[in-house]
Structures are given as structure tokens and as C-alpha cells.
Amino acid sequence: MDAPSERTRVKRMNKRAAYDAETVHGILDAMPICNVGYVFGGAPYVTPTLQWREGDHVYWHGSSASRMLEACTEAQVCLTVSIIDGFVMARSAYNHSCNYRSVMVFGTAHKVTDAAEKEMRLKSFTDGLWPGRWDMLRRMTAQELKATTVLKLSLAESSAKVRTGAPGDDEADYALPIWAGVIPVRMEVLEPQDDPRLIAGLTPPRHITDFRIG
């Protein structure tokens, strides 16, 4: 499959590139943490935030007073997501690497202006991570909704880059008595911790105890 645009074309190690929706969507869905690159006051910035995908768009949100969200609205941005799956230990320093899954998205970010759609997107974000939680919560107030900005970005210009597997050493180096292989890496979710002011007798619902990431 061809790159959707020249700026999304992977040039370095292009054999690791993927442009299909299944690969791009899978990486975005696996990792809610992203980094958004934008220009503010003539200078480049990159801000980490949380993202979620619905269909062929990716969304993120924050305070309506956020300068990042203000700078991104109707502006060109670059959003990236990365997951490290392992450190690849070769027989030479040059051939060390890491196994990873990554996505880069280019485009113009647009603000979700309709209040009903904004609330629907925030519900999708919450329930996407913790199914069923939105309906358990206190209703969002009109002021809270007004104080929240939601941006969306089309996935039309996106590309993925993935590395898996063992080291790729020089052929002569395979005879060297040096350990080589992969150190697997994963993000671990630990046991939930009760709020000190939790009402006595409450236990975490399944969307808390079953939560996974990565």
C-alpha cells in the first residue's frame, strides 16, 4: 500500500512502514498517550496528552484556556504515538535497536463546536478506556463542558512504522561469544488504590480491575 502523501512516506528503514488502516488504528487504540507537535508564537512545541480514535479521526481534549489547544485549532499539527515492545541487543553497538510500534499523523486540527457532539466524544473517550464508567458518573455540567475543548484530526495522512524480531547482526558477528537477543518491555498496570475518602464498602468495578494498556 502506498503512502497517503509525500510527508507521510517513511524514508528511513522503509521496509518497516505500514500505511493500512488496520495497523494505524491498532497502534492508536493500544496506546492512549500521544505527543502533539505544533507552532505557538513562532516557536515549535510538543505536548504530551491523551488521545482516542473514533473511525477515521483521532481526538484529544483539555482546558478551553489551553494555549496548546488554541494553537492547534485550524492549524497544521503532527500527532505521534509510540509503544516500545523490547530492547534489541546485538553483537555490535551499531546493530542495537528496539522493537516498537509507532504512528505519525499530519493534518489540520478542528475544534468540535457542537455541545452534544463534544459530550458524545468525551463519553466515547471515557468508555473506550473504562467501559461503562460514563453512566456511573455524576452528569457533566454545562460549565464543565464549556470549559473543555475537544479537537479532532483526520487520519487521512498517517503512517505506521513497526519493528519486531531478533537482532540483525553482520554475518561475521554471529560467531562472536556475545549474548544477543531481545529484552521484552511492557507497560504494567498495578492493583488499583482506593481514594482515602472513598465511602466504606465500595469495591472497584470490573472496568477498573480489568484495565489494561499497551
Side-chain angles (χ1 to χ4, degrees), residues 27-50:
I27 296 169
L28 292 171
D29 294 347
M31 177 52 65
I33 301 170
C34 72
N35 289 281
V36 181
Y38 57 98
V39 175
F40 179 80
Y45 288 82
V46 177
T47 300
T49 188
L50 295 176

Side-chain angles (χ1 to χ4, degrees), residues 84-146:
I84 295 180
D85 293 315
F87 292 100
V88 180
M89 315 300 290
R91 294 164 180 83
S92 67
Y94 182 80
N95 285 321
H96 278 58
S97 186
C98 67
N99 287 337
Y100 61 89
R101 291 165 282 161
S102 64
V103 163
M104 181 175 288
V105 187
F106 293 98
T108 301
H110 301 286
K111 186 182 294 186
V112 176
T113 56
D114 180 76
E117 182 187 358
K118 188 195 296 187
E119 186 169 8
M120 179 184 69
R121 299 303 179 194
L122 293 170
K123 180 181 188 297
S124 297
F125 169 53
T126 304
D127 283 345
L129 288 172
W130 310 284
R133 186 157 187 83
W134 184 269
D135 290 337
M136 294 177 58
L137 303 175
R138 171 183 60 76
R139 288 291 303 272
M140 195 172 195
T141 68
Q143 181 56 40
E144 289 172 339
L145 195 61
K146 182 180 179 181

Side-chain angles (χ1 to χ4, degrees), residues 1-9 18-22 24-25 28 53-60 76-79 103-110 152-160:
M1 184 175 180
D2 292 334
S5 68
E6 186 57 32
R7 63 179 175 175
T8 59
R9 188 181 308 280
Y19 305 106
D20 62 290
E22 181 179 4
V24 170
H25 293 181
L28 292 171
R53 182 189 65 83
E54 294 187 60
D56 58 359
H57 283 80
V58 63
Y59 296 80
W60 66 102
Q76 286 284 304
V77 301
C78 177
L79 182 147
V103 163
M104 181 175 288
V105 187
F106 293 98
T108 301
H110 301 286
K152 66 178 181 178
L153 177 65
S154 170
L155 295 173
E157 278 195 274
S158 57
S159 61

